[in-house]
Amino acid sequence: MEFVSGYRDEFLDFAALLFVWFRKFASERGAGVGGGNGPEGRSRLMEAQVRRLPPDPALWVLHILPNHSVGISLGQGAKQGPGPGLGAARLLGDEPLLCLRDLSPYVSFVSLEDGEEEEDGEEEGTGGEEGELEEEGEQATTSREPTQDAETPGEPDDAEEEAGEDSSGGDTREDGGEEEMGPEKRSRKRGDAAPLHLACLLLVTDEHGTILGIDLLMGGPQGSRGRAIGAEGLAQRAYTLLCHSMACPMGAGDPRRPRQLTVGDPQLHRELENLVPRLGVKLSKAPMRTWGPRPGFTFASLRARACHVCHRHSFEVKLVPCPQCGAVLYCGETCVWADWRRRPDDVSHRFWCPRLAAFMGRAGELAALPFTYTAGDPYQLLQGDGPPLMPPVPPDPPRGPFGSWQDYYAWRGLGLDSPLAVLLTYPLTVYYVITHLVPQSFPELNIQNKQSLKIHVVEAGKEFDLIMVFWELSVLLPHVALELQFVGGALPPENDQQHFTLQRDGSGVSVRPGSGVSARPGSGAKEKGSRRDLQIKVSARPYHLLQGPKPDLVIGFNSGFGLKDTWLSSLPRLQSLRVPAFFTESSEYSCVVDEQTMAEATGGGTSPPQPNPFRSPFRLRAADNCMPWYCNAFIFHLVYKPPQGSGIRPAPRPAPPVPAPTVPLVPARRRRGEKRPSRGGRRRR
């Protein structure tokens, strides 16, 4: 079995969710789901169904988000030139994309503004296609897009979904996508296939920011409001979207209808005045005057549940967990039995079910943290203006090593309502390894008496983006000269081989020289107050290709050995160096997979994983399982295979629990060996 919870970019999960919901909505809208005699009969049936739904006390909002400048260019993956783009299987299948940059061969954003003057003559002759585009929004392209590409089943939906997610987040989504997906804003050149143009996005949310439905209006002229269809057609389109959003909400929750709806466009508000009351919903007296209904409005993170086997979401089917382990979600007996009978046996749920049940039993232990976020908004302190997030450094160093968030917060002057632990989990985990785990497992190194430490952070990614928080190591270990070298193929190539210094600058910390990450020869000098600088090095390459002196310690965060082929080369490299190497994982399941990968790559193993007292306090919600996932939840170290001829045998590890030969809980009519497994994690090979 394989789970990618905690390893996949949330943007991709968001993209997949938008894609699936919109594809379902577009197909049902075109087919007129619900029967009835013609469009009017189907509409009356849908209205009757919606009126019977339970009311939602939250205010719902219908947004209109025009797009004037950004188009979407589709590629064929490794091949150059235009193509049908990214298929659904790449987002949802057995080999899902894990990183946003993996989308770059398939989807990129282009500017629709550059070169407009030279194409005015051609664009004037394309207005006659408006009506067709508005009817088939899920397949439409601009007039210059090749028709065979537009008609490829399933593929254009995916491109539009990418557009939808980009626009749903406003400018932030667009900019973020451009930075991650290759060329930032490529102008369209004459002779190239025209990009898809998302003229307008209709978006339904509740007052808390949960996205409930979307509709994409493709290929219309870039008018003042970006509308691709007339006023009457837009009102009917919006009305249909509202009905589907109530009957099949994209975000969390059961089907429901709001007590009140507000609309973010005055004209559309007037056009819906006679339609919305048919659903038993009250329309606000006046349209919404600002983009959001309240100043603190944000798009809530979406984590719609999905079947582990077929990947259908909770708005498509009813999901139930495995009755034995309670860990894995399935949509029905067919998927239960398919997972239970996977081959080879060690990837089947039959093999994993008792193990997953044991992992589920750790949920209470992992949630036992001292924080008080339920008393208010945990993100309020992270919203910019206000006092510094971190209090001044205490005048006296710690009296002894910290072993819990509560002790550290008390010494640092932080309240237990502060959410900074979600960032500080990285430096505090390094601190815990240095002060507790290395002395326990490698006492011969005498690491606590060392005056300098060189630490390699392997397969680094997001940790490098949070590099400033590692300054806290200099606060906790003021007597140690620290050098952190971030190594990994996911690091920005432009930062390769750079060496710079983090220094205290008044009450804050800065990178010297300049405000960005700039190259600087390491000085190793002390700053005022006898606190050392923190030396940082960057190597944008896999660890097995790194050249240089041997480190004192190797650390990796949320490693996922089974999800990257480079580990099959990096682990033997660590075996040859034989340095203490500690890794964190976001679940106990992942630790088991890491041990299997270590054995396959080197013949060695790993130590028994133990809960990390400095794990992130925010539980990661998985789509296809209910296991407790936390960033940096568990820690283990590598157990190297003894050198040949040493005569030393590796210490035996306790055997994992053997799967119980019990019959899965299934209805009595199932007899032919069909055992009901609940959920397992497939191993990526």
Side-chain angles (χ1 to χ4, degrees):
M1 305 182 76
E2 177 188 79
F3 300 99
V4 297
S5 309
Y7 303 103
R8 197 179 190 216
D9 287 349
E10 291 191 358
F11 192 90
L12 291 176
D13 284 335
F14 183 71
L17 179 61
L18 290 176
F19 169 75
V20 173
W21 193 92
F22 180 74
R23 183 174 60 179
K24 181 177 185 295
F25 165 61
S27 63
E28 292 181 355
R29 180 186 63 196
V33 170
N37 299 321
E40 293 185 2
R42 292 194 296 266
S43 178
R44 287 194 297 268
L45 181 59
M46 174 66 78
E47 291 171 358
Q49 293 173 346
V50 169
R51 283 195 300 268
R52 290 194 295 266
L53 294 176
D56 184 352
L59 173 72
W60 284 26
V61 186
L62 173 62
H63 307 265
I64 301 182
L65 306 177
N67 171 45
H68 306 291
S69 58
V70 178
I72 303 168
S73 178
L74 303 180
Q76 301 184 58
K79 299 179 181 180
Q80 299 294 325
L86 184 67
R90 295 290 299 182
L91 282 174
L92 306 171
D94 290 338
E95 297 291 332
L97 300 173
L98 296 178
C99 300
L100 191 58
R101 65 178 181 275
D102 295 336
L103 284 178
S104 57
Y106 303 93
V107 180
S108 60
F109 295 98
V110 298
S111 172
L112 298 176
E113 295 177 337
D114 298 339
E116 279 185 351
E117 294 182 0
E118 69 181 36
E119 297 179 358
D120 281 346
E122 300 177 35
E123 293 178 352
E124 287 176 359
T126 65
E129 296 186 7
E130 259 181 67
E132 179 180 353
L133 291 171
E134 71 188 49
E135 288 295 324
E136 299 293 339
E138 63 274 16
Q139 296 182 345
T141 63
T142 59
S143 60
R144 298 180 59 192
E145 183 72 21
T147 56
Q148 59 268 29
D149 289 345
E151 295 172 358
T152 303
E155 300 293 344
D157 283 354
D158 190 26
E160 293 167 11
E161 165 272 321
E162 294 294 335
E165 76 182 35
D166 189 81
S167 297
S168 68
D171 294 337
T172 301
R173 291 287 184 191
E174 289 179 4
D175 295 341
E178 291 165 10
E179 291 174 4
E180 296 285 346
M181 297 186 190
E184 289 194 352
K185 267 195 178 182
R186 298 203 305 257
S187 60
R188 179 172 34 154
K189 297 179 181 179
R190 187 179 298 275
D192 291 347
L196 297 173
H197 175 213
L198 173 64
C200 179
L201 173 71
L202 293 177
L203 182 68
V204 180
T205 73
D206 65 13
E207 61 185 2
H208 307 295
T210 302
I211 299 179
L212 303 167
I214 60 168
D215 193 5
L216 312 176
L217 280 62
M218 302 296 295
Q222 300 179 45
S224 59
R225 290 192 292 177
R227 294 188 174 182
I229 57 179
E232 182 178 354
L234 181 63
Q236 186 59 49
R237 189 97 168 223
Y239 183 69
T240 303
L241 174 63
L242 287 170
C243 291
H244 278 266
S245 300
M246 297 174 199
C248 184
M250 181 190 304
D254 296 325
R256 60 199 185 275
R257 57 181 173 84
R259 293 186 184 276
Q260 187 172 10
L261 172 76
T262 185
V263 181
D265 181 87
Q267 182 176 344
L268 184 57
H269 182 275
R270 290 192 298 270
E271 295 157 0
L272 291 175
E273 285 179 340
N274 295 326
L275 294 174
V276 171
R278 299 180 188 174
L279 305 175
V281 176
K282 179 181 178 181
L283 189 65
S284 60
K285 294 182 178 180
M288 182 178 62
R289 296 298 181 183
T290 58
W291 186 83
R294 56 176 60 178
F297 176 87
T298 58
F299 286 126
S301 176
L302 288 181
R303 286 287 183 183
R305 299 289 196 177
C307 175
H308 174 65
V309 176
C310 68
H311 313 293
R312 288 191 291 176
H313 287 78
S314 56
F315 51 75
E316 300 174 279
V317 292
K318 182 179 180 180
L319 301 173
V320 293
C322 168
Q324 294 188 31
C325 67
V328 186
L329 295 172
Y330 298 105
C331 65
E333 290 183 36
T334 300
C335 287
V336 167
W337 286 103
D339 207 23
W340 189 262
R341 295 170 167 175
R342 286 185 190 273
R343 291 291 182 269
D345 185 65
D346 64 350
V347 302
S348 69
H349 189 67
R350 178 187 177 92
F351 178 86
W352 279 98
C353 189
R355 293 167 171 81
L356 298 179
F359 302 159
M360 290 292 290
R362 305 290 291 268
E365 178 185 359
L366 293 174
L369 292 167
F371 303 105
T372 58
Y373 300 131
T374 55
D377 181 5
Y379 298 101
Q380 187 174 3
L381 294 175
L382 302 180
Q383 294 180 357
D385 298 336
L389 296 178
M390 292 294 290
V393 176
D396 299 323
R399 295 183 179 180
F402 296 122
S404 69
W405 279 121
Q406 190 161 7
D407 292 343
Y408 165 74
Y409 263 48
W411 174 77
R412 202 59 172 87
L414 291 167
L416 292 177
D417 60 344
S418 170
L420 288 177
V422 74
L423 304 178
L424 293 171
T425 178
Y426 296 100
L428 267 292
T429 296
V430 176
Y431 167 81
Y432 182 69
V433 169
I434 294 172
T435 58
H436 287 74
L437 300 185
V438 174
Q440 292 174 9
S441 303
F442 303 92
E444 68 279 6
L445 297 181
N446 198 22
I447 194 171
Q448 290 176 308
N449 293 326
K450 288 183 176 289
Q451 296 185 353
S452 64
L453 286 175
K454 293 182 178 180
I455 302 174
H456 286 177
V457 182
V458 297
E459 290 299 330
K462 66 173 65 174
E463 302 84 25
F464 183 70
D465 297 331
L466 302 172
I467 197 168
M468 301 299 285
V469 303
F470 285 93
W471 172 259
E472 193 67 10
L473 287 170
S474 295
V475 175
L476 290 164
L477 302 170
H479 62 286
V480 182
L482 292 168
E483 177 183 289
L484 300 182
Q485 184 165 356
F486 291 82
V487 187
L491 294 171
E494 59 271 19
N495 295 129
D496 187 35
Q497 299 299 306
Q498 289 193 351
H499 182 187
F500 53 94
T501 305
L502 297 185
Q503 292 181 326
R504 181 168 298 283
D505 185 8
S507 60
V509 180
S510 62
V511 178
R512 301 291 183 174
S515 58
V517 176
S518 305
R520 179 188 181 198
S523 62
K526 294 183 180 180
E527 64 173 1
K528 295 180 181 180
S530 299
R531 294 192 184 275
R532 298 178 185 270
D533 299 341
L534 182 61
Q535 303 298 315
I536 304 293
K537 292 183 178 180
V538 186
S539 297
R541 65 198 65 188
Y543 191 74
H544 63 279
L545 300 179
L546 179 68
Q547 301 294 325
K550 185 176 177 179
D552 298 297
L553 180 65
V554 171
I555 292 179
F557 297 101
N558 305 302
S559 308
F561 291 173
L563 296 176
K564 286 186 178 180
D565 292 338
T566 53
W567 283 114
L568 297 178
S569 300
S570 297
L571 291 173
R573 169 66 172 162
L574 290 170
Q575 166 84 26
S576 66
L577 293 175
R578 306 190 73 84
V579 298
F582 287 80
F583 295 89
T584 70
E585 278 295 2
S586 51
S587 75
E588 206 169 1
Y589 158 82
S590 303
C591 296
V592 175
V593 176
D594 289 351
E595 182 185 23
Q596 295 172 345
T597 306
M598 178 66 179
E600 177 185 352
T602 70
T606 64
S607 66
Q610 57 181 288
N612 177 12
F614 294 105
R615 60 190 173 274
S616 171
F618 293 168
R619 180 169 177 171
L620 304 173
R621 185 184 180 193
D624 61 351
N625 67 88
C626 305
M627 285 191 294
W629 299 80
Y630 293 83
C631 180
N632 299 324
F634 291 89
I635 306 180
F636 63 87
H637 68 264
L638 300 185
V639 178
Y640 299 120
K641 181 180 179 181
Q644 291 184 354
S646 65
I648 304 175
R649 291 188 175 184
R653 291 205 54 206
V658 178
T662 57
V663 178
L665 303 179
V666 294
R669 68 177 183 274
R670 289 287 196 183
R671 294 187 177 181
R672 299 187 57 185
E674 297 193 0
K675 302 183 179 182
R676 172 157 184 124
S678 69
R679 157 89 175 99
R682 304 185 314 267
R683 290 176 53 197
R684 180 182 295 268
R685 305 189 185 280

